[in-house]
Amino acid sequence: MRLFINGIGVIAPCDVFSEKLSASYPNGDKLKCIEPDYTSWISPQAIRRMSRILKMGTTSALMALQHSSVQVPDAIITGTGYGCIEDTTSFLTRLIAQDEEALNPTPFMQSTHNTIGSLVALLLQCQGYNHTFVHGAHAFEHALVDAMMLFEDQPALNVLVGGIDESTDVSQAIHARFGKYRRADDEARKDEGAGQHGVIAGEGAVFFSLTGRQSPNSTAVIDRIQTFAKSSITSKEITTFIEDHKIDLVLSGQSGNAVADRDAERLLDATLPRAGRTQFKHLCGEYTTASAFAVALAVKMMSGNFRNDKSSMYQPHNGEIRSVLIYNRYFGGDHSLMLMNAC
Amino acid sequence: MVHIAGAGIISGIGHNYEQCFSSLANSTHGIKPLSKIQSRFTGSLPVGEVMLDNDAISLEVGAQPGLPRTALLGIHAATEAVRSCTLKHPGWRKGFVSGTTVGGMDRSEIFFRSFLNDRKSGHLNDIVHHGCGSISNLIAQHVGFTDFVSTINTACSSSVNAIIYATKLIRNGLVDIALAGGTDALTKFTINGFRSLMILDEDLCKPFDANRAGLNLGEGAGYVLLVSEKVMKYEALNSRGVIAGFGNTNDAYHQTASSPEGRGSYLAMKQALTTASLDADEISYINLHGTGTVNNDLSESAAIIRLFQDKVPALSSTKTFTGHTLGACGGIEAVFSLMALEHQCIFPNLRFGEAIHETGLKPQQHFAIQSVKHVMSNSFGFGGNCSSIIISQNSNSQ
């Protein structure tokens, strides 16, 4: 079953809908979201109780709905790799500092991964199907697969699907301990062998308003999705996925990890040598639901109003972009493929 | 039809299917003072702990030492489920869908204690499997079900939703076989979280009783091995039951409390009946969500009366035995529901004295052997995530 995209809401480190997109500017060691004025979307009383990821998640969901002129969806499905990190950290910190005494329940209540999807349901009074997928870098893809299966039974539904993850000071510090991220002082540490990893952390909240049938609002369609629970994929697996479909452009999840990026390049050289090729994580950074950002970017690129930053389009496509293959990885693993077409 | 061909379980009342059934049949609960976690509440808070240390579980299942407890419990139950059914053909696409709320938090808590004082301290091994998805990968790799691996966290309804997703994956031809359910270990994070919400009972919980005072936490894992019709026939398997119907809705009332009339629960149960093409009076037994909180039990019983009216079937909360195992409860209770089908029995709702005044529902008080054809299992979570599933006898069996 195909997923028709009728509305998009994006909160990301760049304005994905602007005419010219260039690399986002790092905020210290990471790419941080450009946040809107939330009061345009949510009441001040409600905002006061929300952590940052909840504001980002609910607002991008409301944006997508408005964009598609849907008041209340029939189903809400979210994907998040690490959920509400700030709330989790806050409760854990106080638990330890206060030695398990006199704890405020609010951060605990808001720490479960399904808080984002539930809050959207609460705000909209949507009692329909509600799900949250948390399988790391495949969370968003699995949410989309769930929407596909919903449409198989009921194609006329309006389904809201989102991919949301936040980067906090603590999550950044912990990830950095694993040594896989680019650091602001890499240049100074070159002699120590630094700079092998150019991966920069990111974050984002991206929601799509979907239907199982094409509507006048439909701008693009996701035709096929596949996730691979192994460390590498083959040329044959990509060609089997694409079948005889012509691919105008590959949106590749190059992350700055030198080895993984080189392997992906070689695979694409062998499999789709003639397709245009570009990357997207210089815009959104590396995080578990970055593929949601990639889908939004793909829609934008297929809309025809897109002018490339040539430095990122390393294999330009001449002519219209009507079909996009998103090939994403997360730190070189968790491969996923998504096939999209313009409407 | 999606069939159940195997099952595995570990909880406070037993380390496998036979042990858990025996406890249920003998009304032997597993709720005792907290012992395995070093906490302010050790020795006092009643919980349903799995009476095995992490090292003992690692040794038994052949897992590397130092894995999070959630993964170890999951590996234990998943291994039993996979072994309970022999598959000869090597080419089936095998999926694993698991629900969990805490992920690797039992180790993350340890990491954090050091990290908070000094950001360069804390062992990375203690935090590397923090993510919920990471736990599922550990389990899936251990049992070799790696063609499609996914993880769900919808609070207490996580593993029922995992079973529903897995059922749909099979129906839509994305996998042939799926191991589905969930796992959660006790952690200081959840103990203190629920305590801060003031919904823990300091004594043994009394679900569905007028004088109930809250829930007891528990831990464990439960998985069912689901197969397609094609796999069933090709492998000549015994169908232990079928996933007849399911419902998933959102209460949309409050972040942690259910609406007094249980509108989300009502809709979820109703959807389960509709998708199973069953009338309310065809349900033999309801395995309640029945946590023992003032709010849930009132809400759930109101919804049951509204749906079943004067035809309320036998019902009980097996959380009176295991405590509330959070993300694992749907998986564990699906296995209990399967036991009710296989042994043709109803499990008791322990420690019941007086019915909830507003609804007057009386749960099953004694273990009983009786005809069971369709079992409904409910799981309602924080965030209003309400799910209900119906497990039925395979219609071809007598």
Side-chain angles (χ1 to χ4, degrees):
Chain A
M1 205 71 212
R2 309 167 82 197
L3 299 170
F4 289 90
I5 298 173
N6 307 306
I8 309 178
V10 182
I11 294 174
C14 65
D15 179 5
V16 77
F17 296 119
S18 75
E19 239 198 63
K20 189 172 186 303
L21 273 177
S22 52
S24 306
Y25 286 101
N27 189 301
D29 283 348
K30 63 184 186 189
L31 296 185
K32 205 162 174 259
C33 282
I34 301 166
E35 294 177 67
D37 173 14
Y38 293 116
T39 59
S40 318
W41 299 93
I42 311 166
S43 74
Q45 303 98 293
I47 290 176
R48 251 203 313 274
R49 291 191 293 269
M50 289 186 195
S51 57
R52 185 169 173 264
I53 193 174
L54 292 179
K55 285 186 273 203
M56 281 166 41
T58 48
T59 303
S60 53
L62 294 171
M63 287 173 172
L65 286 174
Q66 189 191 72
H67 199 206
S68 61
S69 310
V70 172
Q71 297 269 56
V72 182
D74 299 301
I76 299 167
I77 310 173
T78 52
T80 176
Y82 287 101
C84 309
I85 301 177
E86 200 179 291
D87 288 301
T88 304
T89 306
S90 169
F91 191 76
L92 201 44
T93 302
R94 284 180 227 184
L95 194 169
I96 293 168
Q98 290 165 214
D99 199 24
E100 301 180 84
E101 278 201 298
L103 293 166
N104 174 8
T106 305
F108 174 73
M109 273 166 42
Q110 295 192 335
S111 69
T112 42
H113 293 51
N114 66 324
T115 307
I116 303 157
S118 312
L119 201 47
V120 177
L122 194 56
L123 284 172
L124 299 171
Q125 284 297 287
C126 172
Q127 291 181 50
Y129 186 86
N130 192 296
H131 229 293
T132 301
F133 292 87
V134 299
H135 197 73
H138 288 162
F140 176 66
E141 286 82 342
H142 291 172
L144 288 177
V145 168
D146 200 22
M148 280 185 167
M149 296 196 295
L150 267 185
F151 287 138
E152 194 61 41
D153 289 330
Q154 299 169 270
L157 296 178
N158 273 298
V159 180
L160 194 57
V161 178
I164 313 101
D165 272 297
E166 62 173 341
S167 174
T168 66
D169 169 48
V170 164
S171 71
Q172 182 67 5
I174 294 174
H175 276 128
R177 286 272 301 273
F178 286 91
K180 295 198 274 188
Y181 281 94
R182 190 173 91 192
R183 281 165 49 163
D185 63 348
D186 267 348
E187 191 61 39
R189 299 183 312 121
K190 250 194 169 129
D191 292 338
E192 296 165 40
Q196 292 302 307
H197 299 292
V199 180
I200 191 154
E203 56 175 11
V206 186
F207 263 94
F208 300 93
S209 180
L210 306 169
T211 47
R213 293 179 184 143
Q214 186 159 354
S215 81
N217 284 333
S218 300
T219 48
V221 59
I222 303 173
D223 271 309
R224 220 172 287 158
I225 300 162
Q226 193 170 356
T227 56
F228 300 87
K230 50 186 183 148
S231 55
S232 65
I233 64 173
T234 62
S235 201
K236 179 141 196 280
E237 281 169 318
I238 298 181
T239 48
T240 305
F241 177 82
I242 300 169
E243 291 180 344
D244 48 11
H245 209 94
K246 178 177 172 289
I247 304 293
D248 293 331
L249 179 76
V250 179
L251 252 182
S252 180
Q254 304 297 91
S255 63
N257 177 304
V259 171
D261 286 354
R262 184 202 62 209
D263 287 347
E265 283 298 285
R266 286 185 185 159
L267 188 60
L268 289 171
D269 286 342
T271 322
L272 291 161
R274 277 179 295 283
R277 209 182 296 171
T278 189
Q279 56 187 340
F280 60 93
K281 287 182 187 169
H282 63 297
L283 300 170
C284 68
E286 175 69 289
Y287 64 101
T288 40
T289 43
S291 53
F293 177 86
V295 171
L297 182 61
V299 174
K300 160 128 189 161
M301 292 173 108
M302 290 190 285
S303 71
N305 291 328
F306 178 72
R307 272 186 9 222
N308 295 304
D309 167 13
K310 287 274 155 52
S311 65
S312 74
M313 189 74 125
Y314 49 92
Q315 193 155 308
H317 175 81
N318 294 316
E320 268 192 315
I321 298 172
R322 299 290 300 167
S323 64
V324 175
L325 174 71
I326 298 173
Y327 171 33
N328 193 33
R329 282 88 55 203
Y330 180 69
F331 286 104
D334 292 315
H335 301 250
S336 70
L337 296 170
M338 289 196 268
L339 180 61
M340 294 180 62
N341 283 288
C343 278
Chain B
M1 257 311 170
V2 173
H3 296 262
I4 300 173
I9 182 171
I10 185 167
S11 73
I13 60 169
H15 302 163
N16 56 47
Y17 187 98
E18 288 311 319
Q19 284 179 14
C20 287
F21 174 71
S22 179
S23 297
L24 288 169
N26 291 309
S27 295
T28 308
H29 70 84
I31 303 171
K32 302 179 188 111
L34 180 67
S35 68
K36 296 195 176 305
I37 297 178
Q38 271 186 315
S39 154
R40 178 177 290 278
F41 312 109
T42 311
S44 59
L45 188 72
V47 291
E49 272 178 316
V50 170
M51 300 312 284
L52 280 175
D53 287 333
N54 287 357
D55 287 341
I57 305 176
S58 294
L59 205 63
E60 199 187 312
V61 301
Q64 75 201 66
L67 291 185
R69 189 169 174 81
T70 303
L72 292 170
L73 293 171
I75 288 172
H76 197 285
T79 305
E80 184 191 3
V82 168
R83 284 190 188 152
S84 69
C85 169
T86 316
L87 298 164
K88 297 179 235 65
H89 182 59
W92 302 118
R93 294 162 305 165
K94 303 201 284 263
F96 178 65
V97 187
S98 185
T100 183
T101 64
V102 302
M105 182 61 85
D106 68 309
R107 308 293 309 191
S108 313
E109 289 174 342
I110 296 170
F111 173 86
F112 226 75
R113 188 170 278 281
S114 308
F115 178 82
L116 267 186
N117 285 325
D118 171 8
R119 287 197 170 182
K120 291 199 183 68
S121 70
H123 295 294
L124 292 183
N125 276 336
D126 283 334
I127 197 75
V128 70
H129 294 298
H130 171 78
C132 297
S134 197
I135 301 299
S136 300
N137 281 335
L138 288 169
I139 305 169
Q141 277 151 25
H142 192 92
V143 293
F145 274 52
T146 53
D147 295 310
F148 186 102
V149 185
S150 194
T151 317
I152 284 161
N153 184 349
T154 52
C156 313
S157 60
S158 297
S159 42
V160 168
N161 281 335
I163 294 171
I164 294 171
Y165 190 65
T167 300
K168 291 199 278 185
L169 289 174
I170 293 175
R171 279 194 192 163
N172 282 278
L174 292 167
V175 294
D176 303 304
I177 297 170
L179 189 58
T183 173
D184 253 343
L186 278 168
T187 61
K188 280 163 81 162
F189 188 85
T190 39
I191 287 169
N192 282 280
F194 279 85
R195 199 159 182 283
S196 72
L197 284 164
M198 299 196 291
I199 51 175
L200 290 183
D201 193 335
E202 284 174 358
D203 287 319
L204 297 174
C205 63
K206 296 160 70 92
F208 271 61
D209 187 278
N211 300 305
R212 65 201 182 283
L215 58 94
N216 300 141
L217 287 169
E219 63 178 0
Y223 291 101
V224 286
L225 186 67
L226 302 173
V227 301
S228 65
E229 273 295 340
K230 182 176 166 185
V231 171
M232 253 259 303
K233 294 197 169 111
Y234 192 95
E235 296 274 359
L237 293 174
N238 191 25
S239 171
R240 296 172 67 172
V242 297
I243 307 293
F246 44 79
N248 172 318
T249 63
N250 196 290
D251 199 35
Y253 176 77
H254 184 275
Q255 204 52 42
T256 51
S258 311
S259 59
E261 73 275 23
R263 60 193 194 180
S265 339
Y266 169 81
L267 285 172
M269 290 190 283
K270 186 157 185 273
Q271 223 177 69
L273 287 173
T274 307
T275 54
S277 302
L278 289 173
D279 292 323
D281 61 4
E282 294 182 80
I283 299 294
S284 321
Y285 164 51
I286 303 175
N287 184 297
L288 299 164
H289 184 56
T291 56
T293 63
V294 170
N295 177 251
N296 175 80
D297 293 0
L298 174 63
S299 177
E300 188 174 5
S301 50
I304 287 169
I305 289 190
R306 191 174 150 207
L307 186 61
F308 292 88
Q309 300 190 352
D310 57 344
K311 298 196 166 60
V312 176
L315 34 80
S316 67
S317 167
T318 47
K319 290 181 174 74
T320 52
F321 285 86
T322 57
H324 185 3
T325 54
L326 300 180
C329 73
I332 285 173
E333 290 158 24
V335 178
F336 289 164
S337 300
L338 183 68
M339 287 176 187
L341 266 184
E342 296 198 291
H343 293 273
Q344 292 290 286
C345 63
I346 311 284
F347 302 121
N349 188 106
L350 302 176
R351 300 181 292 280
F352 174 78
E354 193 186 336
I356 297 172
H357 301 141
E358 292 91 328
T359 56
L361 276 185
K362 285 207 167 88
Q364 183 80 12
Q365 290 176 67
H366 304 287
F367 175 75
I369 300 288
Q370 66 188 63
S371 170
V372 175
K373 280 195 76 181
H374 306 282
V375 181
M376 175 181 274
S377 180
N378 293 337
S379 289
F380 309 135
F382 280 178
N385 281 111
C386 296
S387 293
S388 180
I389 196 166
I390 297 172
I391 298 175
S392 304
Q393 283 186 318
N394 183 17
S395 54
N396 294 329
S397 64
Q398 294 310 308

